[in-house]
Amino acid sequence: MKFILYSLLVVLVISPVGCNPPPEKGVIMQEGIRSDDLGNNIVTRPIVHAFSALVGEGIEIRQALTHVNKNGFLELEVSGYNRSFDTRRFEYKVEWLDGSGMLITSHTSKWMQTSAAGKSPFTIKAVAPRTEAVDFRMNTRKIPG
Amino acid sequence: MCRKLIPFVLAVVLCGCQPQTQNIDTINDPGKAVMQLDYRDFDRAASEMVQSLIASGSLKKQGGGRYVVATGRIVNDTMQRVDTDQLMAKIEQELMNSNLVVMTSAVGGNTASRDSMIYDVRDVRDSDKADEFNKDTLQAKGQLIAPELSISGKIIQRNVIYDNNLQQVEYYFQLQLTDLTTGLRYWQNENIIGKRGSKKVVPW
């Protein structure tokens, strides 16, 4: 009897799962929009979410690119990924350093707010306020309050 | 004896409950958001505006040199008594430090960005008091440099009823850069700051 019940449960879990075609590159289909699959459906979703929260999945930075634009100002593009299922709001501050490693004081180096949707990539962009900037450092923090 | 002490003890306890006045850590402020515009909002808006303007390349003068820029009219269309210099002083400072522009104090939409001394010394030059000055040190006519570009804009506030308990206040910071010779607009940016909070809080 138990075997039949378990088998039914497995069938119920698997039955809504179709053969999802891989999404178009660059297109992110969030839960509730895309079709369910084996790892993410009405039965497994709460477990997967709970596990993600339990292990503390959050923001990860994957790449920080800099380039000098045509006007001679250093531009920064930080790319990351939100591993959490929830939208993560946070603050970041970019500070610019000159050739000798000295901090360039600027009104643009303030705590700025940004947000990354769950299980999605995000990008932060910043432009140096002076042409003397050759390097940067970036800090992050939770939004106060 | 005890009854006489009660008011004294109460006074000490109540005084002890008052929050202490503290200086704000303006570099790493851990304070909560407020419904009105505070200095952090102006900092963020100014930072985004400056970065957008620098990145656009609109301030790069053809053939080298620096543009002369005047601050035009910045309209405060909010329900708060906002001094628009809170926004513009930061932007002007950063633009000058970028070495892309020179700001003029001779003309401008805001009296704070104009220096009345420019005209006071000229009034002296044209008056009887001019005899008291060494003529070589008085400003000659036709020396002021006219601005080539102007930055103008607006701060707008919209209040929206979100639900029975919450209100939403939207602030729009809009700036534009105009060539004063041709009237053409080279750059424009809008920065939105939205706040959602209790309906009981008055956002002005």
Side-chain angles (χ1 to χ4, degrees):
Chain A
M1 185 64 187
K2 269 187 180 176
F3 175 76
I4 295 167
L5 271 173
Y6 283 135
S7 302
L8 270 173
L9 191 64
V10 168
V11 169
L12 272 172
V13 170
I14 296 173
S15 60
V17 178
C19 289
N20 291 339
E24 193 69 27
K25 194 185 172 204
V27 178
I28 297 154
M29 299 300 287
Q30 293 285 5
E31 286 176 355
I33 308 292
R34 66 166 186 248
S35 303
D36 286 350
D37 54 33
L38 190 61
N40 198 315
N41 56 56
I42 195 164
V43 177
T44 60
R45 200 169 291 142
I47 302 159
V48 173
H49 281 223
F51 182 75
S52 168
L54 189 70
V55 298
E57 285 186 323
I59 298 292
E60 83 178 20
I61 299 297
R62 292 186 168 171
Q63 197 174 36
L65 289 173
T66 55
H67 90 107
V68 178
N69 67 19
K70 61 183 178 187
N71 301 317
F73 292 87
L74 190 67
E75 288 190 13
L76 167 69
E77 185 173 297
V78 175
S79 306
Y81 190 81
N82 179 10
R83 294 175 63 86
S84 162
F85 282 92
D86 304 314
T87 297
R88 285 286 167 97
R89 293 181 67 211
F90 62 98
E91 290 188 335
Y92 67 93
K93 180 156 78 171
V94 179
E95 292 178 310
W96 303 97
L97 307 169
D98 65 16
S100 53
M102 302 281 277
L103 179 73
I104 296 171
T105 52
S106 164
H107 280 299
T108 60
S109 294
K110 300 289 177 187
W111 284 108
M112 308 294 281
Q113 294 189 349
T114 192
S115 157
K119 294 288 178 196
S120 302
F122 65 92
T123 304
I124 294 169
K125 295 188 90 163
V127 184
R130 316 253 206 292
T131 50
E132 296 87 61
V134 295
D135 203 0
F136 75 96
R137 64 184 182 210
M138 184 172 144
N139 200 355
T140 56
R141 70 174 186 181
K142 287 173 76 174
I143 292 180
Chain B
M1 180 65 183
C2 280
R3 281 185 184 174
K4 283 179 184 174
L5 278 174
I6 288 171
F8 175 74
V9 171
L10 268 175
V12 169
V13 168
L14 289 174
C15 283
C17 292
Q18 276 188 337
Q20 282 187 322
T21 303
Q22 291 178 324
N23 286 329
I24 299 171
D25 175 3
T26 54
I27 299 166
N28 295 300
D29 193 346
K32 293 176 184 175
V34 292
M35 288 297 275
Q36 295 91 346
L37 286 172
D38 73 354
Y39 80 94
R40 291 170 293 181
D41 300 317
F42 284 105
D43 276 349
R44 287 188 197 119
S47 176
E48 288 201 10
M49 289 293 183
V50 168
Q51 290 188 60
S52 165
L53 190 45
I54 287 175
S56 74
S58 308
L59 295 174
K60 188 80 174 175
K61 196 170 186 178
Q62 298 281 329
R66 292 186 284 178
Y67 276 118
V68 180
V69 180
T71 302
R73 194 158 168 249
I74 311 291
V75 178
N76 170 25
D77 195 11
T78 71
M79 296 166 197
Q80 298 168 47
R81 196 169 174 275
V82 172
D83 185 339
T84 53
D85 278 342
Q86 283 180 274
L87 177 72
M88 290 313 296
K90 298 180 215 299
I91 293 175
E92 289 169 11
Q93 188 182 328
E94 282 306 315
L95 292 183
M96 281 191 287
N97 287 341
S98 72
N99 278 325
L100 290 170
V101 305
V102 180
M103 302 299 299
T104 176
S105 302
V107 288
N110 192 336
T111 49
S113 58
R114 281 200 302 263
D115 190 341
S116 60
M117 191 57 73
I118 293 168
Y119 300 100
D120 288 350
V121 292
R122 281 164 175 77
D123 288 344
V124 168
R125 179 195 62 197
D126 298 335
S127 73
D128 296 339
K129 292 174 189 166
D131 297 337
E132 301 295 330
F133 290 84
N134 178 341
K135 284 202 170 43
D136 294 337
T137 63
L138 284 171
Q139 282 72 23
K141 287 194 175 181
Q143 295 298 303
L144 292 179
I145 306 292
E148 300 164 282
L149 302 173
S150 166
I151 299 177
S152 58
K154 197 174 185 180
I155 307 172
I156 303 165
Q157 177 178 349
R158 278 197 72 225
N159 285 24
V160 180
I161 304 294
Y162 185 73
D163 62 21
N164 286 338
N165 303 316
L166 296 173
Q167 66 174 327
Q168 181 170 302
V169 185
E170 300 161 3
Y171 298 101
Y172 300 79
F173 291 79
Q174 299 172 337
L175 284 185
Q176 58 193 43
L177 181 77
T178 306
D179 183 340
L180 293 173
T181 307
T182 60
L184 298 176
R185 195 177 299 168
Y186 283 164
W187 168 86
Q188 183 170 337
N189 195 23
E190 180 181 71
N191 181 229
I192 302 174
I193 292 175
K195 294 160 185 268
R196 204 170 283 152
S198 170
K199 255 177 153 177
K200 292 173 186 169
V201 178
V202 183
W204 62 79

